[in-house]
């Protein structure tokens, strides 16, 4: 019996090979033409080999929300792209510290402080560092603050922050279609500074912006080969009224699962964190995100939309008989 393209690719990955761009494009075309189930099966085998039945939770808390100078077309916090959709607010430190405790209580291994804006002011950076240093919960603190210079990176390194998050969002080719006020190279430069300074990296993307399968694969390869991210967030666009992409159709569940599975075959040992939009786009197929190769989920609310309740997330993990862990 002839082996399928997915079976051959899965075996190569399990033997320690890294798939290249033509390999991944062939897998994407096969999934589109013949359905994703063979690809999803191979992704599950790779996930089991590297992570068994383990899963991680993470959470986020906004430090600064709204009033962003950048023009990301999907974002409700963008002043130019979605004026007035989200007003500018700052979360008081005591609320951030309580969010740390709440996240640790439900089993999150990490929580990220997320600030809107191109780059943090010194005052906003001071507030992030103060909150991180005052953390009294058993949880790791991450930061997502936009573009950084060497001085700002060093200040984070000297604080209780041990991971930096900055998504590339999409491929280099497609990026100018959805963002024009900062560049792909500026993001890569920030990530390089953070990595060289000793911070772990969280870097992934957002899908459903109008990108092609080739764009999705190019993003996976950039995150794997250029960024060398430890954790890779996979987000699906949940269009918000008032943004430039507010009328964009949501991705269908099987397309979302195919994206997760492709990223698993591209990055067999990365922590794939399925985050924004999972409830809206995966719908009743949410449990299959782990079958497709996902290893983490963001639990609780997102920045501008409500997520599934933590109680439902805990039930989901219990029903799948998976184990929540701090580290893989």
């Amino acid at each position: 019996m002839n082996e399928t393209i997915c079976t051959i690719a899965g075996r190569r990955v399990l033997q320690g090979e890294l798939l290249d761009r033509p390999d991944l494009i062939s897998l994407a075309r096969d999934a589109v033409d013949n359905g994703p189930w063979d690809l999803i099966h191979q992704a599950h085998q790779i996930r089991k080999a590297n992570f068994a039945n383990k899963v991680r939770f993470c959470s986020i808390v906004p430090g600064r929300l709204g009033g962003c100078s950048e023009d990301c077309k999907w974002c409700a916090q963008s002043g130019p792209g979605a004026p007035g959709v989200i007003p500018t607010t700052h979360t008081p430190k005591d609320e951030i510290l309580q969010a740390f405790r709440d996240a640790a209580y439900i089993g999150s291994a990490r929580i990220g402080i997320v600030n809107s804006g191109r780059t943090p002011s010194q005052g906003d950076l001071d507030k992030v560092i103060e909150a991180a240093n005052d953390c009294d919960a058993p949880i790791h603190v991450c930061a997502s603050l936009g573009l950084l210079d060497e001085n700002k990176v060093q200040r984070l390194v000297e604080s209780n922050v041990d991971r930096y998050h900055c998504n590339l969002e999409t491929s280099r080719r497609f990026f100018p279609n959805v963002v024009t006020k900062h560049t792909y190279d500026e993001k890569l430069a920030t990530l390089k500074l953070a990595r060289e300074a000793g911070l772990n990296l969280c870097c992934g993307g957002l899908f459903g912006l109008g990108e092609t399968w080739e764009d999705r694969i190019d993003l996976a390869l950039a995150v794997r080969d250029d960024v060398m991210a430890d954790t890779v967030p996979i987000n699906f666009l949940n269009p918000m009224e008032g943004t430039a992409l507010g009328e964009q159709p949501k991705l269908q569940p099987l397309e979302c699962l195919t994206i997760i599975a492709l990223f698993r075959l591209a990055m067999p040992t990365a922590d794939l964190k399925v985050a924004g939009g999972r409830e809206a786009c995966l719908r009743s197929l949410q449990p299959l995100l782990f079958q497709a190769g996902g290893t983490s989920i963001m639990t609780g609310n997102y920045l501008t939309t409500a997520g599934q309740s933590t109680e439902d997330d805990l039930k989901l993990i219990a029903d799948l008989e998976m184990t929540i862990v701090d580290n893989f």
Side-chain angles (χ1 to χ4, degrees), residues 226-285:
D226 299 331
V227 177
M228 295 176 279
D230 308 284
T231 298
V232 182
I234 295 177
N235 302 285
F236 305 112
L237 179 68
N238 186 9
M240 291 192 67
E241 184 178 353
T243 65
L245 293 178
E247 302 300 320
Q248 183 80 358
K250 295 175 186 174
L251 295 181
Q252 293 299 300
L254 289 184
E255 186 169 3
C256 295
L257 293 175
T258 303
I259 291 168
I260 299 169
L262 273 174
F263 269 61
R264 175 52 64 207
L265 268 80
M267 292 176 276
T269 60
D271 177 13
L272 298 186
K273 177 171 62 180
V274 184
R278 65 178 168 95
E279 302 90 346
C281 294
L282 286 169
R283 303 197 298 268
S284 62
L285 297 191

Side-chain angles (χ1 to χ4, degrees), residues 65-76:
L65 192 66
C68 184
S69 64
E70 304 306 282
D71 64 347
C72 307
K73 287 186 176 181
W74 63 86
C75 186

Side-chain angles (χ1 to χ4, degrees), residues 45-67:
Q45 301 308 307
I46 295 165
R47 186 209 191 283
K48 286 198 303 181
N50 289 297
F51 300 94
N53 69 336
K54 298 174 183 177
V55 63
R56 288 203 309 183
F57 278 6
C58 87
S59 304
I60 56 175
V61 58
R64 179 184 189 272
L65 192 66

